[in-house]
Amino acid sequence: MKTSLRPGDLLSHYRIVSLLGAGGMGEVYLARDESLGRNVALKILPPALMQQEQRVRRFVQEARSASSLSHPNIVTIHEISQAEIEREDGARSDPIHFIAMEFVAGSTLRNLICKEKTDTRSLLRYLAQAADGLAKAHAAGIVHRDLKPENIMVTEDGYAKILDFGLAKLLERVGGSEAATRASEPTKEITDEGIVVGTVAYMSPEQVQARPVDHRSDVFSFGCILYEAVTRAHPFRADSSIEVMHRILHDEPVPIATINAEVPAEVRRLIRRCLTKSPEQRLQSMKDLAIELTEIVEEYDQLSISSGSGPMSTLRAPLAASRRSRAFRVGLAAVVVIGSIGAGFGLWSLRERMRPGHGAAPFQSMNITRLLSVENLVDIALSPDGRYLATVIRETEGWILRVRQIATGSDVQVLPPMKTGIRGIRFTPDGNYIYYGWRDPERMSYSWLCRVPTLGGEPRKLIFDVDTAPSFSPDGQQLAFARWSLVGSKAALVIADTEGRNERNLAVWDYPADNILGSPSWSPDGEKIAVVHQRFNEPAALVEVVVADGGVRAICKPSQMAFSEVAWIPDGNGLLGVASAWNSPANQIWHVSRSGNTVKVTNDLNDYSGLSITSDSEAIVAAQYHRRSTLWLAPATQAGAAHPIAGEAEEEGLDVVRALPSGKILYTVWHGAYVEVWCLDPTTGRRMRLTPEGLAVFNLSVARQSGLIAFTVYGDDGILHVWRMDADGGSLSQVTRGAGEWLYSVSPDGQSILYMDPVGPTLWKISATGGTAVRVRDGLMRWAWFSQDGDSVVCGAYAQVGGVTRGQIVVAPAEGGTPTRTYETPQGSDFCMAPTGDALTFIRNVDGVDNIWRQALGGGPVEQVTRFENGRIFSHDWSIDGGQIFLARGRETTDVVRITGFR
């Protein structure tokens, strides 16, 4: 076969390695990006086809369609351009069109179906992921129109990627903007009415008849792929293309049950709804299809193969991608328990995504059953006998502790609504009591460990200053918990008796450079306590502390994965932990043997937390976390008129939002295992990714005058550093090169950067071009902002007042020195400098609802800015002129699941 490129050829800065494939719309090569040192897939339009105007337009349309989408299940476009071919002998050719895209190592769905004979449940899991990606495309007004198993790749770590948008069509939105209408016009020229496009075997009836298509055409094509996945046969197979098209228009497929009697009725029903001839009677939404497929996969073993049941429950949230927002949730354990530190430093665990992972396939006999689906879930615990589920839910009337009898589904409210936080709940070994942490309303940085009878009764306060849930000794006579001293910079593992007496520190670490994450777990033999231990700039590891002498021994080395929770299996057969690894971007549940070997228990796209295990070691209860958010705009003078930005849809993993001087909006979003920075022009709806693929980006900041952008990222040395780039994404460079640095903010003129070194802990100021840093202030800071003139810094600090640690707002010179003002910090998170420079704004949750509040610099009463009556706000920022507030706003949903057969 004669090809346009040969190994060794150079196209722009891409060195050709080998041919991957060729087809009617071009040739695809494996190439090496010599500027960034990564492999890419390079799709070119050969010179022979460049003379065909329609081919060129379709080629460019593919690039534009795919590059406008950001989703972990859609292949990423890196670059669209033209360049000469430079041969190894120095000869050059005329310029050719090319698309540089993400190189996906794995197998096509066609190979998995036909050659590798992958099991049906796994195929449905991959198709659920692909459906979620297509839903993203449809939400952007893009119809693929050429879906087939060859255009769905499954990576080596089990994630589906949709390829080849060469026939994609941009839809005109009814009542849409002029810009949206103009965007669709080039497509009309590419595929005029009456021209049949697409691969015949997977065409919808409307494609066969050359009628206008919309997203429901993709639903039909996807139904053909589903049919083939469960039967290994095509639904409209025939000897010629004409016969295939006739069958698509007039015939029904052979009933699935006659080919594969093991296919559950729910799967058969879903495929029938996809393959309905009339678009109006077809399944109307690819998102609904993704949700139902996800439920089918999770409940596959419980589905009937004989009954024709109706639609599945709609209570379950769509396939979770909460892994993408996890970076802003995990932090230090103090962030989770105390809730007052703000953004933490515990993102170091994400470095593990860049390393080869360990573990095996999930246990094939494992069953997962949903017990509860709820918004604003704070904590869960399972009773040792498995009969009761305790939950803490933040509702409008306050924090509610309930106990559910799992067998009957009946609930008992154990405590009256509490106006301050409840979390860290645990049943006693005999199941008679629930211990919980309750935030002291007079000293909000502290929690009491309290106890209440399981089915209700008089609560009792036991121990002051407890920062995690307790773990009980096997005999039920002692308990263990973690305590952090924010001012004294110590993290301690503490044990006491169950009445709250005889406290003693079993082990002490230097905090925050050394830290305990999550709650401890007492071993079944009573001799050891397992904890998740983390050193700054290292992934979190499992260690055990000997009860007799406080000695510490590593259970699982930090190089294997990054843990956030741990629980001993009561029969002594190792531990269960929640951890992330390179080949699983989400927090998954792992089994850890006594020798430290790890095996995956779960293997999906959900994000797990809140482990509880029954005393017979037969069942686990955990929470699957899910967040969806979108970009909102609120006029500063009419904050009650807040509304979503036109054309914006809910997105999974959209977190930090920042305003550029140009009026454009920056935001971060998860893409697979990484966090990317994107830029949105709210006037045109156009968006562009600013950071290259492969960076895990955190804690975004923008210079309000110059537009300089800074963020934290893992460097090549595997350590957190501060990086910067221009407002258009250019001039990306590393600023700090120390032992580990965490960005706080950029000065308004873009000349200086504030960052935190947690090892001190110390706040530093450095030039945006690098160089020698200036020490600003010692001590742990929650956040720090430059004043308008850049001469001062305003930061959230901690101080010992009246024997307890309290949050403070400190105003100090930017060059270091004695603070000029100090006053008490209001309760809230995501503190931001108001554009006037005379106030801070922040997120505060009152009665389960997030709103933006304002605190004048110098103190005084806080003022409410926005007036939302429901929902969550994850991030906010002000437009440069102060006339608008930009918000990342949405909802959090949690599924509580019970897992059996996991060993």
Side-chain angles (χ1 to χ4, degrees), residues 628-635 638-651 654 657 665 680-683 685 687 866 868 870 872-873 884-891:
R628 295 185 66 84
S629 54
T630 191
L631 295 172
W632 282 61
L633 184 151
Q638 294 178 298
H643 57 84
I645 293 175
E648 291 299 294
E650 277 194 330
E651 190 162 1
L654 190 156
V657 57
I665 305 172
L680 169 70
D681 186 339
T683 60
R687 65 188 68 235
T866 60
F868 294 111
N870 55 61
R872 299 293 313 277
I873 299 173
Q884 296 175 324
I885 310 172
F886 298 126
L887 308 167
R889 184 173 181 272
R891 54 195 170 91

Side-chain angles (χ1 to χ4, degrees), residues 534-608:
Q534 184 172 52
R535 288 191 174 94
F536 179 61
N537 266 326
E538 289 186 5
L542 295 185
V543 302
E544 57 184 20
V545 181
V546 179
V547 175
D549 58 13
V552 179
R553 183 188 74 85
I555 300 174
C556 186
K557 295 181 179 179
S559 60
Q560 293 178 331
M561 63 197 64
F563 283 87
S564 57
E565 295 183 35
V566 62
W568 284 94
I569 300 176
D571 63 9
N573 183 25
L575 306 93
L576 291 177
V578 173
S580 63
W582 177 86
N583 66 342
S584 178
N587 264 328
Q588 296 287 298
I589 300 175
W590 295 72
H591 177 271
V592 183
S593 70
R594 295 296 300 272
S595 61
N597 294 324
T598 57
V599 177
K600 251 185 180 180
V601 175
T602 59
N603 188 21
D604 53 43
L605 297 181
N606 293 303
D607 206 27
Y608 290 89

Side-chain angles (χ1 to χ4, degrees), residues 717-747:
D717 55 3
I719 297 176
L720 287 169
H721 296 298
V722 177
W723 287 55
R724 55 160 284 175
M725 65 183 178
D726 295 338
D728 61 358
S731 303
L732 177 67
S733 62
Q734 184 175 334
V735 178
T736 65
R737 300 179 183 275
E741 306 84 44
W742 178 260
L743 170 76
Y744 273 159
S745 65
V746 184
S747 62

Side-chain angles (χ1 to χ4, degrees), residues 53-66:
E53 184 179 3
Q54 188 180 66
R55 297 272 187 151
V56 174
R57 287 176 177 174
R58 285 188 181 174
F59 188 87
V60 174
Q61 176 63 29
E62 172 185 4
R64 289 176 176 172
S65 299

Side-chain angles (χ1 to χ4, degrees), residues 595-707:
S595 61
N597 294 324
T598 57
V599 177
K600 251 185 180 180
V601 175
T602 59
N603 188 21
D604 53 43
L605 297 181
N606 293 303
D607 206 27
Y608 290 89
S609 64
L611 277 181
S612 291
I613 311 173
T614 55
S615 56
D616 60 7
S617 306
E618 294 299 319
I620 305 169
V621 161
Q624 295 175 344
Y625 172 89
H626 176 72
R627 172 188 289 184
R628 295 185 66 84
S629 54
T630 191
L631 295 172
W632 282 61
L633 184 151
T637 56
Q638 294 178 298
H643 57 84
I645 293 175
E648 291 299 294
E650 277 194 330
E651 190 162 1
E652 297 167 347
L654 190 156
D655 275 287
V656 179
V657 57
R658 294 288 181 259
L660 283 169
S662 63
K664 296 179 181 179
I665 305 172
L666 294 181
Y667 62 93
T668 60
V669 66
W670 278 94
H671 182 188
Y674 306 106
V675 185
E676 300 175 341
V677 178
W678 282 73
C679 179
L680 169 70
D681 186 339
T683 60
T684 66
R686 293 185 178 181
R687 65 188 68 235
M688 177 176 66
R689 188 182 67 197
L690 298 186
T691 52
E693 182 189 17
L695 289 184
V697 174
F698 313 111
N699 212 25
L700 195 63
S701 183
V702 174
R704 301 189 70 82
Q705 296 168 11
S706 70

Side-chain angles (χ1 to χ4, degrees), residues 76-114:
T76 300
I77 301 296
H78 301 314
E79 184 181 2
I80 310 162
S81 188
Q82 297 183 64
E84 296 178 341
I85 304 172
E86 182 178 346
R87 307 291 185 184
E88 287 190 296
D89 61 4
R92 293 178 177 271
S93 74
D94 292 333
I96 61 173
H97 289 276
F98 70 86
I99 306 171
M101 66 186 79
E102 171 187 9
F103 173 66
V104 182
S107 298
T108 65
L109 194 67
R110 167 71 66 208
N111 284 338
L112 297 182
I113 293 173
C114 300

